Amino acid sequence: AFNGTWKVDRSENYDKFMEQMGINLMKRKLAEHDNLKIIIEQNGDKFHVKESSTFRTKEIDFTLGVQFEYDLADGTEVAGAWEMEGDMLKGKFTRKDNGKALTTTRTLVGGELVQTYNYEGVDAKRIFKKQ
Ligand code: MYR
């Protein structure tokens, strides 16, 4: 059900979240208009995700419950895994530079893909529309 091409439509508190992540103002301003697009292909518990934005294009394969490494668009390296809880994808990642947790979820709400983010007490959301 997560399969498809998803284009970011709007964000909530994303600037505050990025600020908490330690991302500078200039990068945050650019990230506001990053035109993030994610293409998700799920096969059982295996996922292929292609991310593209004004910053970069990146592809990753992962399996639910299996740890992997990922570098975020700002260069921050994290390691962790996605798991499925009911209809929700839950990601638990740890920053490699400071050991702090970054958690994220993906759910489908009214035909939109809602991704939440949490870092050090700050929550944000990005909402994607299917193309
Ligand atoms: C994926 O499923 O898209 C690949 C794995 C993503 C891991 C981390 C997701 C959190 C992204 C936070 C963005 C913060 C930008 C500073």
Side-chain angles (χ1 to χ4, degrees):
F2 289 99
N3 282 321
T5 299
W6 301 94
K7 212 171 171 314
V8 72
D9 180 60
R10 57 198 190 277
S11 302
E12 293 172 13
N13 214 39
Y14 191 54
D15 185 67
K16 282 275 191 305
F17 167 78
M18 289 188 289
E19 188 177 7
Q20 188 76 334
M21 286 283 289
I23 297 168
N24 72 42
L25 180 66
M26 202 183 78
K27 282 189 189 167
R28 298 206 306 275
K29 287 291 157 198
L30 293 172
E32 229 175 85
H33 307 284
D34 64 356
N35 286 321
L36 179 61
K37 190 169 93 176
I38 49 182
I39 300 172
I40 301 178
E41 288 168 27
Q42 180 184 3
N43 262 307
D45 58 357
K46 295 196 189 304
F47 282 75
H48 180 75
V49 176
K50 184 174 174 185
E51 165 191 327
S52 61
S53 69
T54 53
F55 293 112
R56 63 172 184 178
T57 299
K58 189 175 169 68
E59 295 189 49
I60 178 92
D61 286 293
F62 60 84
T63 302
L64 294 178
V66 178
Q67 296 267 328
F68 65 95
E69 300 187 349
Y70 198 73
D71 60 297
L72 306 182
D74 72 323
T76 304
E77 292 177 51
V78 299
W82 285 104
E83 289 188 2
M84 192 73 85
E85 249 184 64
D87 291 337
M88 181 179 280
L89 276 168
K90 283 197 173 179
K92 276 193 189 166
F93 296 89
T94 304
R95 279 176 73 144
K96 288 192 165 185
D97 57 350
N98 64 11
K100 291 183 175 174
L102 168 55
T103 59
T104 177
T105 67
R106 285 180 175 139
T107 30
L108 297 170
V109 181
E112 295 182 316
L113 175 70
V114 178
Q115 182 158 9
T116 69
Y117 308 86
N118 177 278
Y119 180 71
E120 289 288 296
V122 178
D123 286 302
K125 258 185 205 177
R126 302 197 87 185
I127 297 128
F128 299 79
K129 286 194 185 295
K130 201 163 193 169
Q131 281 204 317

